[in-house]
Coordinates of all heavy atoms in Angstrom, one line a residue:
Q8 N 6.8 4.4 7.3 CA 6.5 5.8 7.0 C 5.2 5.9 6.2 O 4.3 6.7 6.5 CB 7.6 6.5 6.2 CG 7.4 7.9 6.0 CD 7.5 8.8 7.3 OE1 8.6 8.8 7.9 NE2 6.4 9.4 7.6
R9 N 5.1 5.0 5.2 CA 3.9 5.1 4.3 C 2.7 4.7 5.1 O 1.6 5.3 5.0 CB 4.1 4.1 3.2 CG 2.9 4.1 2.1 CD 3.1 3.0 1.2 NE 4.5 3.0 0.6 CZ 5.1 1.9 0.1 NH1 4.5 0.7 0.2 NH2 6.2 2.0 -0.4
T10 N 2.8 3.7 6.0 CA 1.6 3.2 6.8 C 1.2 4.3 7.8 O 0.0 4.5 8.0 CB 2.0 1.9 7.5 OG1 2.5 1.0 6.6 CG2 0.8 1.3 8.2
V11 N 2.2 4.9 8.5 CA 1.9 6.0 9.4 C 1.2 7.1 8.7 O 0.2 7.7 9.3 CB 3.2 6.4 10.1 CG1 2.9 7.7 10.9 CG2 3.7 5.4 11.1
D12 N 1.6 7.5 7.5 CA 1.0 8.6 6.8 C -0.5 8.3 6.5 O -1.3 9.2 6.6 CB 1.7 8.8 5.5 CG 3.1 9.5 5.6 OD1 3.3 10.0 6.7 OD2 3.9 9.4 4.7
L13 N -0.8 7.0 6.3 CA -2.2 6.7 6.0 C -3.1 7.0 7.2 O -4.2 7.4 7.0 CB -2.3 5.2 5.6 CG -1.7 4.8 4.3 CD1 -1.7 3.3 4.1 CD2 -2.5 5.4 3.1
F14 N -2.6 6.7 8.4 CA -3.4 7.0 9.6 C -3.3 8.4 10.1 O -4.2 9.0 10.4 CB -2.9 6.0 10.7 CG -3.3 4.6 10.5 CD1 -2.5 3.7 10.0 CD2 -4.6 4.2 10.9 CE1 -2.9 2.4 9.8 CE2 -5.0 2.9 10.8 CZ -4.1 2.0 10.2
Q15 N -2.0 8.9 10.1 CA -1.8 10.3 10.6 C -2.5 11.4 9.9 O -3.1 12.3 10.5 CB -0.3 10.5 10.6 CG 0.1 11.8 11.4 CD 1.6 11.9 11.5 OE1 2.3 11.3 10.7 NE2 2.1 12.7 12.4
S16 N -2.6 11.3 8.6 CA -3.3 12.3 7.8 C -4.8 12.2 7.8 O -5.5 13.1 7.4 CB -2.8 12.3 6.4 OG -1.4 12.5 6.3
N17 N -5.3 11.2 8.4 CA -6.7 11.0 8.5 C -7.2 10.7 9.9 O -8.0 9.8 10.2 CB -7.2 9.9 7.5 CG -8.7 9.9 7.3 OD1 -9.3 11.0 7.2 ND2 -9.3 8.7 7.3
D18 N -6.5 11.4 10.9 CA -6.8 11.2 12.3 C -7.6 12.4 12.8 O -7.0 13.4 13.2 CB -5.5 11.0 13.1 CG -5.8 10.8 14.5 OD1 -6.9 10.6 14.9 OD2 -4.8 10.8 15.3
P19 N -8.9 12.4 12.8 CA -9.7 13.6 13.2 C -9.5 14.0 14.6 O -9.6 15.2 15.0 CB -11.1 13.2 12.9 CG -11.1 11.7 13.0 CD -9.8 11.3 12.5
K20 N -9.1 13.0 15.5 CA -8.9 13.4 16.9 C -7.5 13.7 17.2 O -7.2 14.1 18.3 CB -9.4 12.2 17.8 CG -10.9 11.8 17.6 CD -11.3 10.7 18.5 CE -12.8 10.4 18.4 NZ -13.2 9.3 19.3
K21 N -6.6 13.6 16.2 CA -5.2 14.1 16.3 C -4.5 13.5 17.5 O -4.1 14.2 18.5 CB -5.2 15.6 16.4 CG -5.8 16.3 15.2 CD -5.0 15.9 13.9 CE -5.5 16.6 12.7 NZ -4.9 16.1 11.4
A22 N -4.3 12.2 17.5 CA -3.4 11.6 18.5 C -2.0 12.1 18.3 O -1.6 12.6 17.2 CB -3.4 10.1 18.4
V23 N -1.1 12.1 19.3 CA 0.2 12.5 19.2 C 1.1 11.4 18.6 O 1.1 10.3 19.2 CB 0.8 12.9 20.6 CG1 2.3 13.3 20.5 CG2 0.0 14.1 21.2
W24 N 1.7 11.6 17.5 CA 2.5 10.6 16.8 C 4.0 11.0 17.0 O 4.4 12.1 16.8 CB 2.2 10.6 15.3 CG 0.8 10.1 15.0 CD1 -0.3 10.8 15.0 CD2 0.5 8.7 14.6 NE1 -1.4 10.0 14.7 CE2 -0.9 8.7 14.4 CE3 1.2 7.6 14.4 CZ2 -1.6 7.6 14.0 CZ3 0.6 6.4 14.0 CH2 -0.8 6.4 13.8
Q25 N 4.8 10.0 17.3 CA 6.2 10.2 17.5 C 6.9 9.1 16.6 O 6.7 7.9 16.8 CB 6.7 10.0 18.9 CG 6.1 11.1 19.8 CD 6.5 11.0 21.3 OE1 7.0 10.0 21.7 NE2 6.3 12.0 22.0
L26 N 7.7 9.5 15.7 CA 8.5 8.6 14.8 C 10.0 8.7 15.1 O 10.5 9.8 15.1 CB 8.2 8.9 13.3 CG 7.1 8.1 12.7 CD1 5.8 8.6 13.2 CD2 7.1 8.3 11.2
H27 N 10.6 7.6 15.4 CA 12.0 7.5 15.6 C 12.6 6.4 14.7 O 12.7 5.3 15.2 CB 12.3 7.3 17.1 CG 11.7 8.2 18.0 ND1 12.1 9.5 18.2 CD2 10.7 8.1 18.9 CE1 11.4 10.2 19.0 NE2 10.5 9.3 19.5
L28 N 12.8 6.7 13.5 CA 13.3 5.7 12.5 C 14.8 5.8 12.4 O 15.4 6.8 12.1 CB 12.6 6.0 11.2 CG 11.1 6.0 11.2 CD1 10.6 6.2 9.8 CD2 10.5 4.7 11.8
E29 N 15.4 4.6 12.6 CA 16.9 4.5 12.4 C 17.3 4.9 11.0 O 16.9 4.3 10.0 CB 17.3 3.1 12.7 CG 18.8 2.7 12.4 CD 19.7 3.5 13.2 OE1 19.6 3.5 14.4 OE2 20.6 4.2 12.6
R30 N 18.2 6.0 11.0 CA 18.6 6.5 9.6 C 19.5 5.5 8.9 O 19.5 5.6 7.7 CB 19.2 7.8 9.8 CG 18.3 8.9 10.3 CD 18.9 10.3 10.2 NE 19.3 10.6 8.8 CZ 18.4 11.1 7.9 NH1 17.2 11.3 8.2 NH2 18.9 11.4 6.7
R31 N 20.2 4.7 9.6 CA 21.1 3.7 8.9 C 20.6 2.3 9.2 O 21.3 1.5 9.8 CB 22.5 3.9 9.4 CG 23.1 5.3 9.0 CD 24.6 5.4 9.4 NE 25.4 4.4 8.8 CZ 25.8 4.4 7.5 NH1 25.5 5.4 6.7 NH2 26.6 3.5 7.1
L32 N 19.3 2.1 8.9 CA 18.7 0.8 9.2 C 19.3 -0.3 8.3 O 19.5 -0.1 7.1 CB 17.2 0.9 9.0 CG 16.4 -0.3 9.5 CD1 16.4 -0.3 11.0 CD2 14.9 -0.1 9.0
F33 N 19.5 -1.5 8.9 CA 20.0 -2.6 8.1 C 19.0 -3.0 7.1 O 17.8 -2.8 7.2 CB 20.4 -3.8 9.0 CG 21.6 -3.5 9.9 CD1 21.7 -4.3 11.0 CD2 22.6 -2.6 9.5 CE1 22.8 -4.1 11.9 CE2 23.7 -2.4 10.3 CZ 23.8 -3.1 11.5

């Protein structure tokens, strides 16, 4: 999540980001 935020918030061309993070991750 932290790494995606670094790229997503500074993406001038606005690629489409899709996050599917397992809520009960081991």
Side-chain angles (χ1 to χ4, degrees):
Q8 183 70 65
R9 185 189 308 153
T10 307
V11 169
D12 286 345
L13 290 173
F14 287 96
Q15 191 175 13
S16 298
N17 193 39
D18 180 10
K20 297 184 179 180
K21 299 299 180 185
V23 178
W24 292 81
Q25 296 180 345
L26 267 69
H27 305 288
L28 303 181
E29 169 62 53
R30 292 191 61 83
R31 296 183 59 81
L32 192 67
F33 290 157

